[in-house]
Amino acid sequence: KVNPPGKPTINQTTVTWLTQVEKHRRIKNFRYQLQWKQKDESWHYLSEKTECEQECMEQLKPSLLMKDETYEARVRVQAFYRSFSGTWSEWSPTESWVSQVGSPKPASEWG
């Protein structure tokens, strides 16, 4: 089991993070799971078992976001080499951000 990744960084729709695993001569690739959610909702999987190296990146689809809403994201990683797969790490610290892209917030019917 590897250490959890660092807190992800979100820039508009780009999520990046570091695996926080020391370089190893055999284990250079990782699978990752990225979860995101609107604040106070349940977690959604965006990617599962996608591969990356030490520095990882994933794109969020703007169509899944609402402008000016608060979101959270977290990631975890799993080392793998050929047919070997390690255990999933714990989840990274959660990062929050207010989306500057996406659909406009629906107007309140009480507005």
Side-chain angles (χ1 to χ4, degrees):
K1 186 174 185 174
V2 295
N3 292 329
K7 183 186 274 193
T9 301
I10 295 99
N11 183 355
Q12 299 290 340
T13 58
T14 303
V15 182
T16 57
W17 66 94
L18 297 174
T19 59
Q20 302 289 11
V21 178
E22 289 184 31
K23 290 197 178 199
H24 189 280
R25 65 186 187 106
R26 288 193 182 158
I27 300 173
K28 297 178 183 162
N29 295 324
F30 300 88
R31 290 189 177 120
Y32 66 84
Q33 292 179 329
L34 168 63
Q35 286 188 324
W36 67 277
K37 66 177 185 149
Q38 193 170 338
K39 193 172 180 167
D40 301 325
E41 289 189 358
S42 300
W43 290 105
H44 305 280
Y45 279 102
L46 177 64
S47 299
E48 190 166 346
K49 297 190 177 179
T50 305
E51 298 175 21
C52 66
E53 294 182 8
Q54 293 291 117
E55 190 171 338
C56 305
M57 182 186 81
E58 184 67 60
Q59 290 293 132
L60 299 172
K61 292 180 181 171
S63 61
L64 298 175
L65 301 172
M66 291 182 75
K67 189 172 177 163
D68 300 323
E69 284 293 316
T70 301
Y71 290 89
E72 298 176 334
R74 66 183 184 177
V75 291
R76 66 180 180 173
V77 296
Q78 174 189 60
F80 79 97
Y81 176 73
R82 296 186 185 168
S83 61
F84 164 80
S85 288
T87 303
W88 285 104
S89 72
E90 298 298 321
W91 289 102
S92 70
T94 300
E95 177 64 291
S96 298
W97 80 100
V98 176
S99 179
Q100 300 302 307
V101 298
S103 305
K105 233 178 182 178
S108 167
E109 68 178 78
W110 305 104

